[in-house]
Amino acid sequence: MPIEEITFEAEERMEKSVTLLADQLRGIRTGRANTGLVESIRVEYYGSPTPLKQLANLSTPEAQQILIRPFDTGVIGDIIKAIQTSDLGLTPNSDNKVIRLNVPPLSVEQRKKLAGRVKDLAEEARVSIRNIRRDANKSADAETADKVLTEDDLVRCKDEVQALTKKYEGKVNDLAEKKESEIMED
């Protein structure tokens, strides 16, 4: 496997780690209402768990409110049940046409707890990226042992993989810092 393939595969996997982190962070609550909080809630719909974003229009008409407008009003009860059983801690209000979720402001203690969760998720992403680096370096070592790569190629490959690692760890850090500042601002 040439150097380009090793680095391309590593970069692709690192990008997936960063994308996963971004998705996870979207679901973490800040002081404002955000449709990302409820998009991935699974609703039992005709026997299969379906993401809420596939069953309804989601919007934030006010800074502290999420509006859920189901495509099929017959599923409102199931959506309410799914929201209540989720770990959001929000109480849905319904008029049998739309569901409103009022998002109360966060206390200082809740903000610190959520910021800690952001740090944990970011660290998981960094560990994932480092594991990808390790795998890429192992591939390069194996190719050198099989005489496909020279020693110079091995050094160049490991340098490129390390540069990718730094780049994607930087992206993780940026995402985490941005989300923490959103959580901590009043």
Side-chain angles (χ1 to χ4, degrees), residues 17 24 117 119-129 131:
S17 291
Q24 290 172 326
R117 176 81 177 121
K119 285 180 180 162
D120 292 344
L121 289 172
E123 185 54 33
E124 286 175 20
R126 283 191 287 271
V127 167
S128 171
I129 288 169
N131 287 340

Side-chain angles (χ1 to χ4, degrees), residues 102-118:
N102 291 316
V103 181
L106 294 169
S107 69
V108 174
E109 184 179 308
Q110 287 172 316
R111 288 177 193 275
K112 287 181 180 174
K113 195 173 175 183
L114 290 171
R117 176 81 177 121
V118 168

Side-chain angles (χ1 to χ4, degrees), residues 61-118:
E62 299 172 25
Q64 299 295 313
Q65 188 178 77
I66 299 173
L67 186 68
I68 303 168
R69 189 179 310 270
F71 303 127
D72 172 12
T73 54
V75 78
I76 285 183
D78 295 329
I79 292 173
I80 290 172
K81 191 187 314 176
I83 292 169
Q84 288 171 337
T85 57
S86 72
D87 60 353
L88 274 181
L90 299 176
T91 306
N93 301 319
S94 171
D95 63 2
N96 290 328
K97 290 185 181 133
V98 296
I99 300 168
R100 287 179 171 70
L101 289 175
N102 291 316
V103 181
L106 294 169
S107 69
V108 174
E109 184 179 308
Q110 287 172 316
R111 288 177 193 275
K112 287 181 180 174
K113 195 173 175 183
L114 290 171
R117 176 81 177 121
V118 168

Side-chain angles (χ1 to χ4, degrees), residues 9 32 45 68-69 110-111 113 117 119 146 157 160 164-165 172 174 179 183 185:
E9 184 181 316
R32 293 188 196 93
Y45 186 63
I68 303 168
R69 189 179 310 270
Q110 287 172 316
R111 288 177 193 275
K113 195 173 175 183
R117 176 81 177 121
K119 285 180 180 162
D146 294 342
C157 182
E160 286 180 25
L164 286 174
T165 303
V172 165
D174 292 345
K179 188 65 174 189
I183 291 170
E185 88 186 16

Side-chain angles (χ1 to χ4, degrees), residues 2 4 7 16 23 41 78 98 107 122 129 136 158:
E4 293 79 26
T7 56
K16 285 180 184 172
D23 289 344
I41 289 178
D78 295 329
V98 296
S107 69
I129 288 169
K158 286 187 175 185

Side-chain angles (χ1 to χ4, degrees), residues 13-84:
R13 289 176 61 202
M14 288 179 187
E15 186 65 47
K16 285 180 184 172
S17 291
V18 171
T19 303
L20 175 66
L21 175 66
D23 289 344
Q24 290 172 326
L25 292 180
R26 206 174 304 121
I28 291 182
R29 202 173 139 198
T30 60
R32 293 188 196 93
N34 176 359
T35 58
L37 292 173
V38 295
E39 282 178 352
S40 60
I41 289 178
R42 298 261 178 204
V43 178
E44 197 65 34
Y45 186 63
Y46 290 109
S48 66
T50 309
L52 181 56
K53 67 181 175 185
Q54 292 180 7
L55 299 175
N57 272 335
L58 306 172
S59 62
T60 52
E62 299 172 25
Q64 299 295 313
Q65 188 178 77
I66 299 173
L67 186 68
I68 303 168
R69 189 179 310 270
F71 303 127
D72 172 12
T73 54
V75 78
I76 285 183
D78 295 329
I79 292 173
I80 290 172
K81 191 187 314 176
I83 292 169
Q84 288 171 337

